[in-house]
Amino acid sequence: MADNAAPVTLRARKFITNRLLARRQFVLEVLHPSRPNVPKAELAEKLATMYKTEKARVVCFGFRTQFGGGRSTGFALIYDDEASQKRFEPKHRLVQSGLETKVDKPSRKLRHERKNRAKKFRGTKKTKAAEPAKKGK
């Protein structure tokens, strides 16, 4: 079976210090010969110690395991501070890292059905049409 304590080698390629977005960005190559893959949380922890920053400022995404295993390649960003991270990161990645809460909204199909029901009315009746249809008949 896979050994979770097996050594993992991290290699940063195409390292750029992006002053405009207040971050360091690079392609991250992960060598994990005796493991199927490495969790992003573990990668973020290792990168935080390598680059002397907090784990919360490190964002890892887009990892693909090479055919045959043993190597994965993805992208990593290390933000200078939380304010710049909140400003420049996409909302879905902020939700993943726990900096923002997920917006609960009805399903896409339900939204479209409500919209189309409301199209059939004018004025104040539109709000009544937007309510879910009553089941009975």
Side-chain angles (χ1 to χ4, degrees):
M1 255 352 247
D3 180 21
N4 283 348
V8 172
T9 310
L10 302 181
R11 191 179 295 149
R13 289 191 301 119
K14 299 183 180 180
F15 190 96
I16 297 171
T17 304
N18 192 334
R19 285 288 111 226
L20 290 173
L21 298 177
R23 70 186 186 194
R24 291 167 277 181
Q25 58 192 49
F26 47 91
V27 173
L28 185 65
E29 226 168 66
V30 186
L31 301 169
H32 47 89
S34 56
R35 293 172 72 168
N37 223 322
V38 186
K40 284 186 226 163
E42 190 179 318
L43 292 177
E45 215 170 273
K46 285 182 185 281
L47 286 171
T49 54
M50 273 172 64
Y51 291 101
K52 297 177 182 72
T53 184
E54 325 166 20
K55 184 186 170 194
R57 298 292 79 80
V58 180
V59 182
C60 301
F61 61 94
F63 280 88
R64 286 266 174 254
T65 307
Q66 197 178 55
F67 182 73
R71 175 185 287 191
S72 299
T73 307
F75 208 70
L77 310 170
I78 301 173
Y79 283 92
D80 295 348
D81 49 57
E82 189 176 326
S84 58
Q85 186 175 1
K86 280 189 171 183
R87 184 173 173 199
F88 299 120
E89 267 301 278
K91 295 285 180 270
H92 70 277
R93 286 209 298 255
L94 286 174
V95 169
Q96 277 179 356
S97 59
L99 291 173
E100 250 180 60
T101 56
K102 189 176 189 297
V103 179
D104 286 329
K105 54 186 175 184
S107 70
R108 186 178 169 85
K109 185 176 180 181
L110 191 67
R111 290 198 313 260
H112 283 288
E113 285 174 356
R114 279 187 186 169
K115 172 187 67 86
N116 291 333
R117 264 200 309 274
K119 274 183 182 175
K120 295 174 185 152
F121 295 97
R122 292 184 64 183
T124 56
K125 291 180 183 171
K126 273 192 186 291
T127 55
K128 207 170 200 177
E131 291 169 11
K134 291 183 175 63
K135 294 189 177 165
K137 292 181 183 175

